[in-house]
Amino acid sequence: MEPFTTLTAIAVPLDLVNVDTDRIVPARFLRQPRSAGYQNFLFHDLRETDPDFVLDRPAYRGAKILVAAENFGCGSSREAAVWALAGSGLRAWITPSFGDIFLENSFKNGVLAIVLPEKRVAALREQLREHPGAEVAIDLPAQAVRFPDGSEERFAVDPFRKECLLAGIDEIDLTLREERAIAEYERRHARETPWLFPDLAGDGGR
Amino acid sequence: MGKTLYEKIWDQHAVASGAGGRTLLYIDRHLLHDGSFHAFEALRRAGRKVRRPQASFATPDHYVPTIGRENITHPELRDKVETLERNATAARITFFPVGDDRQGIVHVIGPEQGITQPGVTLVCGDSHTSTHGAMGALAFGIGASEVAHVLATQTLWQAKSRTFRIVVDGTLKPGVYSKDIVLALIAKIGAFGGTGHTLEFAGSAIRELSMEARMTICNMAIEAGARSGLVSPDDVTFAYLADKPLVPRRAAWDEALSRWRALASDDDARFDREATLDASLLEPMVTWGTSPEHGAPVSGVVPDPAAEPDVTRRGSMEKALRYMDLAPGQRLEAIAIDRAFIGSCTNSRLEDLRAAAHVVRGRKAMVPALVVPGSGLVKRAAEAEGLDRIFRDAGFEWRDAGCSMCVGMNGDLVAAGERCASTSNRNFEGRQGKGARTHLMSPAMAAAAAVTGTITDVRKLL
Ligand code: SF4
């Protein structure tokens, strides 16, 4: 996974609450292999009905940061939503709140998802609307975002996610280091609840 | 101080701890469906093996046709169903194929087979995994990377969520169901009212509900933003489980039962948040917009965005009304529908079909209407009671088990511009098909809409 440290880039504002992952990638595209390039399906139906969709405005071309509203990425667990956004060049998103599964999927794909207070995110979207193409600077080690107007906002990030992102760590590799603890857990629980471990507990208690 | 059910399950599954208070949680049960091919692919690319195949169970549901499926002719759908079978069999994972009565929507077959048990951790690459929390299991949806992680390690790194107890007291009036409880709750706390929390549903109204009705509520916890919804297990839970295929037997059952009895949240447990709802005040609910939080009592009207003070929210509401082709002030009861769908992991169990059939009996469908049981076993049980005859006689289509028109991935779609009365869980733009307009409601309400052709208060037909 590509590490994430700092990023200064054009940010694009999306002024809609409750943007669900069905809208980010409609279900009919999910049968495609990942190699099909999910960025081709990003906001597919929304873009068709709205020729002036913000991501298509020339001023925001090359944006690497998305600034959205409450509950961005709610709904279905489809990781394709993150693949589509990241595939189109976005590396970070900032909102007042995310869908929990989308948030997890973001970090799993090397994307930094930042939560800031609603008023500040609304102010940021306004600055980006008024100055299309303006840049936002993100510093992950310092946990700070600099707005186009020069103001700065600190953000919280789970230390575990931060570590994985900074180092570009594959979580499965990390977990496999805990193999002894996992095997020990299984042995103990196969004794305590043998019916859940028929494979490890002989007759399975059934 | 006592512990909540959530904390008890969490503590029993902690394997190791990581940076910032993250915990490596052991995952007891893992459900896989025909959308899981991305995760298997990622595993293959990384050259990893499935660590403990006995903990996983697989069945096709999203892509499987609900008609003519003995020989699936659509090449892409057939490929998805066959790929799951290939992946599962190669990894020695239990697989319920098309044609097996145990095949069905993952969230219907988990409890039905006894795969879901109180106190287990259960995950699935599907957000409605929250359904299984009705059994007192800590169950949540995950993305493809996490599915691969669970297949490879049988664990997940998780941060503890906050806890949120929803106390529902009072008795439901006739014609009002658990679907109405959860739609009313989401309308009240909002589509992100539960974000970052695990919900526990408690109170006398929840205790009085059957397991199936509780599943409907936990199913939609995710529509309030919560990854998991829970109900503390009780005698209703244990009675439901007693005859399920994969539960422990004899001495092991007794031992399991004593463990399960100790799981319920303690009386003095503290929750981070609390909310209450009076079930006796509820009427049948319907959604008017494109978020599950856009719900209102059926006697109500489409709200006016002008009354919304927040500019972003107002814009989103206006957009929803344009998409739904509705105007502020319009009466919900007068809205004409083009189609009805009774099914999905929210409402496709035997009790749901009974409630719908009760309304349909002796009437005729005024619009195309589809009934899709949640599993082969539900279908068979419904047929044994003659429910299929009631639906068919009224002109409803009676199909085989799967997700079907909830998401349309198998081709069961609502056409652009059409309005569908649906028992599913999401009214998102394009959810049931490009340009489709979805109104969420209970099975009895969807049946009432189907036989009248308009959104109708089902209590007038009872
Ligand atoms: S029935 Fe609908 S919500 Fe449930 S698992 Fe299938 S697609 Fe998802």
Side-chain angles (χ1 to χ4, degrees):
Chain A
M1 212 168 66
E2 199 187 333
F4 189 111
T5 46
T6 60
L7 174 69
T8 301
I10 295 177
V12 55
L14 183 60
D15 286 300
L16 281 173
V17 294
N18 297 325
V19 172
D20 57 76
T21 54
D22 274 77
R23 225 183 304 184
I24 299 173
V25 178
R28 64 183 184 281
F29 298 114
L30 299 178
R31 57 175 76 151
Q32 305 287 334
R34 206 177 154 183
S35 56
Y38 272 84
Q39 62 275 14
N40 300 317
F41 317 129
L42 179 63
F43 289 116
H44 186 279
D45 297 350
L46 198 60
R47 286 172 132 158
E48 239 177 39
T49 51
D50 180 3
D52 190 34
F53 186 59
V54 66
L55 284 171
D56 297 323
R57 291 184 203 154
Y60 297 110
R61 191 166 295 151
K64 290 200 164 88
I65 299 166
L66 176 72
V67 184
E70 294 273 21
N71 208 20
F72 185 77
C74 60
S76 153
S77 60
R78 62 191 68 171
E79 201 158 314
V82 173
W83 301 337
L85 290 159
S88 70
L90 296 160
R91 290 286 330 261
W93 18 90
I94 303 174
T95 76
S97 61
F98 289 102
D100 282 340
I101 306 176
F102 177 85
L103 184 70
E104 196 72 58
N105 290 342
S106 303
F107 285 95
K108 294 282 186 298
N109 287 276
V111 172
L112 174 58
I114 298 175
V115 173
L116 292 179
E118 203 204 331
K119 281 205 167 53
R120 291 297 287 155
V121 181
L124 178 55
R125 288 200 309 270
E126 199 178 317
Q127 290 176 30
L128 297 170
R129 269 198 314 272
E130 280 170 12
H131 306 282
E135 290 193 328
V136 167
I138 297 171
D139 185 336
L140 176 58
Q143 297 181 214
V145 185
R146 200 178 64 247
F147 289 18
D149 69 359
S151 63
E152 237 186 44
E153 199 67 42
R154 306 260 307 161
F155 62 88
V157 59
D158 179 307
F160 180 85
R161 287 172 171 159
K162 181 176 175 181
E163 213 171 278
C164 289
L165 220 47
L166 285 172
I169 291 174
D170 179 303
E171 249 184 58
I172 298 183
D173 286 336
L174 194 74
T175 309
L176 289 174
R177 291 184 214 153
E178 306 284 350
E179 174 54 33
R180 275 179 55 189
I182 300 172
E184 167 52 30
Y185 178 94
E186 283 173 334
R187 272 194 297 279
R188 189 155 37 92
H189 282 257
R191 280 197 304 274
E192 285 173 12
T193 54
W195 57 91
L196 293 176
F197 294 85
D199 48 328
L200 305 177
D203 71 346
R206 303 240 305 280
Chain B
M1 195 178 60
K3 283 204 229 174
T4 64
L5 166 60
Y6 174 71
E7 289 157 347
K8 292 180 192 184
I9 302 177
W10 181 277
D11 291 349
Q12 287 172 13
H13 289 83
V15 174
S17 44
R22 283 242 154 183
T23 299
L24 189 64
L25 269 197
Y26 193 78
I27 303 300
D28 294 315
R29 296 287 198 233
H30 185 195
L31 300 174
L32 293 153
H33 55 75
D34 42 9
S36 310
F37 60 96
H38 290 297
F40 279 105
E41 184 54 41
L43 215 60
R44 230 184 335 264
R45 265 202 315 274
R48 301 187 204 280
K49 285 212 160 40
V50 175
R51 189 175 190 283
R52 212 184 132 223
Q54 296 80 2
S56 292
F57 299 83
T59 195
D61 54 7
H62 285 68
Y63 288 100
V64 75
T66 51
I67 197 166
R69 54 204 214 157
E70 294 65 35
N71 179 20
I72 304 174
T73 51
H74 190 298
E76 283 180 323
L77 300 185
R78 196 179 57 222
D79 172 63
K80 290 296 166 282
V81 172
E82 288 176 354
T83 302
L84 177 67
E85 174 153 24
R86 231 184 3 260
N87 283 332
T89 339
R92 292 178 295 117
I93 288 168
T94 306
F95 178 70
F96 304 127
V98 169
D100 186 318
D101 271 346
R102 296 169 297 178
Q103 178 269 336
I105 306 173
V106 277
H107 310 312
V108 174
I109 72 158
E112 195 175 74
Q113 290 302 314
I115 295 167
T116 317
Q117 296 174 16
V120 301
T121 47
L122 182 150
V123 297
C124 172
D126 187 280
S127 58
H128 291 101
T129 307
S130 57
T131 312
H132 306 261
M135 313 282 301
L138 177 58
F140 51 92
I142 55 179
S145 295
E146 288 187 307
V147 170
H149 192 285
V150 172
L151 286 172
T153 70
Q154 210 53 50
T155 60
L156 278 178
W157 290 101
Q158 293 289 302
K160 213 175 206 173
S161 73
R162 279 160 286 164
T163 53
F164 188 173
R165 179 164 57 183
I166 318 277
V167 180
V168 191
D169 284 318
T171 304
L172 288 171
K173 288 193 272 228
V176 187
Y177 302 87
S178 67
K179 180 68 162 284
D180 302 305
I181 294 181
V182 72
L183 284 174
L185 174 76
I186 299 165
K188 177 177 166 148
I189 69 171
F192 49 96
T195 302
H197 292 78
T198 293
L199 307 186
E200 179 167 342
F201 300 98
S204 61
I206 303 296
R207 293 279 146 241
E208 281 167 26
L209 294 176
S210 69
M211 280 316 300
E212 297 190 1
R214 293 178 188 181
M215 287 179 213
T216 301
I217 294 187
C218 289
N219 174 272
M220 291 191 72
I222 184 69
E223 309 311 331
R227 231 172 152 177
S228 304
L230 289 167
V231 176
S232 281
D234 59 10
D235 287 336
V236 177
T237 322
F238 311 139
Y240 172 92
L241 273 170
D243 65 348
K244 298 297 177 275
L246 294 174
V247 298
R249 300 270 172 245
R250 298 181 292 275
W253 168 266
D254 296 335
E255 203 183 316
L257 197 60
S258 69
R259 286 181 72 93
W260 295 343
R261 284 195 193 284
L263 284 168
S265 288
D266 298 325
D267 290 338
D268 56 346
R270 232 200 92 258
F271 291 81
D272 296 309
R273 276 177 74 196
E274 302 249 6
T276 58
L277 200 68
D278 185 346
S280 67
L281 301 178
L282 299 180
E283 32 172 307
M285 297 286 293
V286 198
T287 63
W288 49 264
T290 56
S291 163
E293 71 180 12
H294 294 157
V298 63
S299 63
V301 298
V302 176
D304 190 349
E308 170 58 53
D310 179 80
V311 56
T312 309
R313 284 189 150 268
R314 190 186 319 138
S316 300
M317 252 174 105
E318 284 163 356
K319 188 169 188 319
L321 291 188
R322 269 198 308 279
Y323 181 85
M324 294 298 289
D325 192 27
L326 294 172
Q330 208 172 329
R331 279 184 54 229
L332 294 173
E333 256 204 278
I335 296 171
I337 59 149
D338 302 302
R339 184 177 286 282
F341 170 60
I342 297 171
S344 89
C345 56
T346 316
N347 284 127
S348 63
R349 299 177 183 84
L350 189 57
E351 286 174 18
D352 300 319
L353 303 186
R354 281 182 189 148
H358 182 69
V359 176
V360 169
R361 188 193 301 270
R363 297 187 167 103
K364 289 275 181 242
M366 305 294 287
V367 293
L370 195 61
V371 187
V372 184
S375 71
L377 285 171
V378 170
K379 185 177 192 222
R380 186 187 285 231
E383 287 174 349
E385 293 181 11
L387 303 185
D388 60 320
R389 281 257 58 93
I390 296 174
F391 287 119
R392 283 188 214 263
D393 288 349
F396 286 61
E397 281 191 70
W398 177 251
R399 296 281 184 90
D400 283 316
C403 296
S404 182
M405 205 175 271
C406 169
V407 70
M409 285 160 85
N410 73 339
D412 294 344
L413 289 161
V414 176
E418 273 190 357
R419 206 179 277 293
C420 181
S422 179
T423 66
S424 53
N425 42 53
R426 286 185 175 145
N427 50 354
F428 298 160
E429 280 189 21
R431 171 73 180 187
Q432 297 190 287
K434 194 174 166 182
R437 298 177 177 133
T438 304
H439 294 276
L440 303 176
M441 57 191 82
S442 73
M445 281 287 289
V451 298
T452 59
T454 57
I455 292 176
T456 299
D457 187 337
V458 65
R459 293 174 296 183
K460 295 175 183 167
L461 304 188
L462 290 176

